[in-house]
Every structure is written in structure tokens, then in C-alpha cells.
Amino acid sequence: MALDTETFDLLKSTLQRFVRERLVPREDEVAETNTIPEDIRAEMRELGLFGLSIPEEFGGLGLDMEEEVNLAFELGRTSPAFRSLLGTNNGIGSQGLIMDGTEAQKQHYLPKLASGEMIASFALTEAEAGSDARSLRTSAKRDGDGFILNGTKRYITNAPHAGLFTVFARTEDPDNPEGSITAFLVEAGTPGLSIGSVDKKMGQQGSLTSDVVFEDCRVPASAVLGEKTGQGFRTAMKVLDRGRLHISAVCVGAAERLIADSLDYAMERKQFGQPIAEFQLVQAMLADSRAEAFAARCMVLETARAKDRAEVVTTDAACCKMYASEMVGRVADRAVQIHGGAGYMSEYAIERFYRDVRLFRIYEGTTQIQQLVIARNMIKQRKSEL
Ligand code: COS
């Protein structure tokens, strides 16, 4: 544990209260305005929520993975858009820097990310490079003591708010005619970097994504993450291993919220003269959802503990992401079913969550990519034993 039990419990109960009393009542407003209100952002900053996983020496709380997923369970209990605003600073936006950045890069950026003064974004995906991330085409050509970036990144979470982008681009490599992938730290406002219009999405309103366009965008050599070219793909994969575990925890939280709402509804709603919760077919849906959410919770906690023991968790993080994101999809579907006609109406949060959770099976690696990662690692492991 990075924090002593008492301090962590206090942090967790503060977060639970914040979610329940401050975030849940504002969910509809966020969905309607497609914005996280400024007063909520300010409270998030005050609570230190932007720096949960950033080391203490850089102004964060330095939580270990088990602590982080425990808090992500709580954050998952409200609209994913709230978590998304903090998610990139704690996860994919900062972790590349924490894992592979130079001391100077960490000193320069991490305190700003930890305080929430600066939002970080992870710019990997392109129109022709989604699941096949390694085929990305954004180029970074050497130009004297710097690089010139050209290309377009797609669906980049928090891009419209971001002050810092970790951009993955192809650099020349004498050993590889295709070039190799390098990560760059590029600040918003750098000439040649522009942000596209905000994407219109199925759900998760309030979490903004857009294109990020590089047109002859010049960055100094010191912008290369870790000041080492050709390391970008490994960095991206390591960041995603961790990100997948975090997202799995958010899925568990969302499932628990959907189950709680469904149970309350089922106990209140009467048909055939009694609460529908008394009917065994409704009970079966509640029980299946409860058992599946519990299984995902256990998987996530176990994998987070293994990560804290410095074990390689690529396979298990992919198992968690696959199972938890599919699980919350099933739970959301049952939640709509339990609510009946009301579940299809926007008056209840269920309809919104149903759309919101659909993304979990897609981003940070689709279910099919997780299957591929799991099976490939199983085969690799077995081959090494033969
Ligand atoms: N940790 C560290 N290194 C890793 C790694 C991991 N989890 N996974 C792969 N690598 C390394 C490999 O060791 C290999 O290194 P060498 O070239 O030195 O041998 C290199 O990265 C390439 O790996 P691999 O051959 O597995 O790459 P592929 O292109 O075949 O595919 C997948 C990798 C499909 C797993 C990857 O492209 C992927 O995760 N795609 C989904 C991308 C994604 O999640 N996008 C979401 C957008 S971000 S929100």
C-alpha cells in the first residue's frame, strides 16, 4: 500500500461522498451540455483526483495499482464522462512519462498534470491505425536538432482540453526501412498542431474527443519521450496494459451502479400485485449481474495486486478488460430489461448508461484485440515450456 490504511479509507470515503452527492446529481446536466461544469472540475482538482497515480515527488498521491482500482470502482458509479476528464492524467496521458520519461520531462510536466492545471492526452489512433496500432503513418522527420511532425490522429480523448499530447509517430530507422515508432511530448499551441471539431458520439457526452492534426509541426529533440527514438510502441503497449486494468475497474463500478439502480427499481415497481423483485425471472437477472460483477471485481483486484508485485500482467489485464467490459454490457442490457419500458426512456439513468458503457468494449483495445493478446501469450508461454 502506498498510503496507510486510515488515510486511504478516508480518501475512499471522501470520493464515495463526492460521487454520490456532487457527481450523480449532475449527470443529466453533463449529458445535455456535453461539458463537465467548472465548479466540478475545481472540486476534482482540490481533491487531488488528477494525480492519483502520479508519484508523490511530482505532486501526486502516488497510489499503487490496488489502491487506484479501488478508487476507480467508486468513480465508475457515475457517468463515465467525469472519470474520463481525470482518466488521461492518471492513465494513458501521464503513464508514458512516468514509465519512460527523462527526469527533466517528469519534473517539467508531472506536477502540472497532478494538480489538474494541465490535461494530458494520448495520441496513438489514426484513421487507418486503430487495432493495428503499429501501422500508424504520422511521420516525424529529423530537421537539424528537432523533428517535423505530419499526420492526423483520430478520436483522441480530451484533445479539446489538452495541454500536452503524447504523440506516436514514425521516425527514420537505419535498421528498418519502414521506420520505427517514437513517442513525442507535444504541447498544445505548438505551431502546426491543431484540434479538429468535437466528435459527435453515441454516448459519454461530456467526454470530448476530436482529431489532432500535425502540419509541419516542429518539436525539439528534447520532446522525444525518454530522449530515445524507436521506443514508442513498447511504451504505448505498457501504458495500455495499465490502462486496460483501470478501465476494467471502471466497468465494475458502472455495473455495480446499474445493479443498485435495478434492484431499487425492482423492489419498488409493482406488477401482478407485487414488487417485480419477487418474480424469479427478475431475480435471475439480478443474480446473474451480481455474480458477474463480483467475478470482474475479483479479477481486477487480483491482477492489480500482481502488478504491484511487479509481475508482468499483460495477459491478465487483457482478460480483465475483455471480461469486465463485456460483463458491463450484459449488466446494462439486463438493467434496461428490468426497468421495462422505463429503461428505454431518458428519464432514468439506465438508458444513458446503456449507451455510455458500449464504448468500454472498444477503446483501449477492442474485445477482439484482448482475445488476440491473451491467446498469443498463452501460445508463447507454452512454446517456451516445450
Ligand atoms: N508490453 C511491452 N512490450 C510489448 C507489449 C506489452 N504489453 N506488447 C507488445 N510489446 C512489444 C513486443 O515485445 C514487440 O517488441 P519487439 O519488436 O522488440 O519484439 C513489439 O512491442 C511489437 O509487438 P507485437 O508483435 O505484439 O505487435 P503487433 O503489431 O503484432 O500487435 C497488438 C500488437 C495488436 C496487441 C497492438 O497493436 C494493440 O494492442 N492494438 C490495439 C491498440 C489499442 O488498444 N488501441 C486503442 C487506442 S488507445 S485508447
Side-chain angles (χ1 to χ4, degrees), residues 74-89:
E74 302 306 326
L75 280 166
R77 297 181 71 97
T78 185
S79 285
F82 291 116
R83 199 261 355 152
S84 186
L85 184 66
L86 332 151
T88 47
N89 277 32

Side-chain angles (χ1 to χ4, degrees), residues 125 131 134 233-234 237 240-241 244 314 364-365 373 376:
T125 300
S131 289
R134 205 145 56 114
F233 193 74
R234 268 187 77 79
M237 290 298 112
L240 285 172
D241 278 351
R244 288 166 183 168
T314 306
E364 299 203 20
V373 169
R376 278 199 334 193

Side-chain angles (χ1 to χ4, degrees), residues 78 93 144 149 172 196 232-233 288 308 328 381:
T78 185
L149 271 62
E172 285 132 311
F233 193 74
D288 284 354
D308 288 334
V328 73
Q381 167 75 24

Side-chain angles (χ1 to χ4, degrees), residues 285-305:
M285 287 192 276
L286 288 168
D288 284 354
S289 291
R290 171 73 173 82
E292 290 181 23
F294 179 46
R297 180 178 261 271
C298 295
M299 287 170 81
V300 170
L301 279 171
E302 183 57 29
T303 309
R305 288 180 193 128

